[in-house]
Amino acid sequence: MELKRSCREVTRLVLESEDRELTATERLALQMHWGICATCRKFRDQAQLMRDAMARWRRYRDDDSGPAA
């Protein structure tokens, strides 16, 4: 069980977590890495900001009924 991850691996896992559920080992490795790496914490936060913004945009797009007649 490899818990020590490089920044490149952490970035990959953050992005993969959008498409699949990470294993317990992967989640633990991320938590450990984020505990020591401010740059990867910032990337995680920025990725979450983008996910939230896209979700808001999709809701806005789907709720838009077009121009009033």
Side-chain angles (χ1 to χ4, degrees), residues 10-44:
V10 168
T11 299
R12 179 184 53 80
L13 286 172
V14 167
L15 296 175
E16 282 185 15
S17 71
E18 295 178 27
D19 299 323
R20 68 173 179 91
E21 186 167 340
L22 300 179
T23 67
T25 302
E26 290 170 330
R27 290 190 308 270
L28 179 59
L30 288 176
Q31 292 296 325
M32 291 175 60
H33 187 89
W34 290 331
I36 60 170
C37 185
T39 303
C40 286
R41 284 192 307 271
K42 181 176 263 189
F43 177 80
R44 173 201 61 197

Side-chain angles (χ1 to χ4, degrees), residues 1-4 7 20 22 27 30 33 47 51 56:
M1 171 183 355
E2 178 65 34
L3 292 177
K4 185 177 179 187
C7 293
R20 68 173 179 91
L22 300 179
R27 290 190 308 270
L30 288 176
H33 187 89
R51 280 192 292 271
R56 284 191 306 270

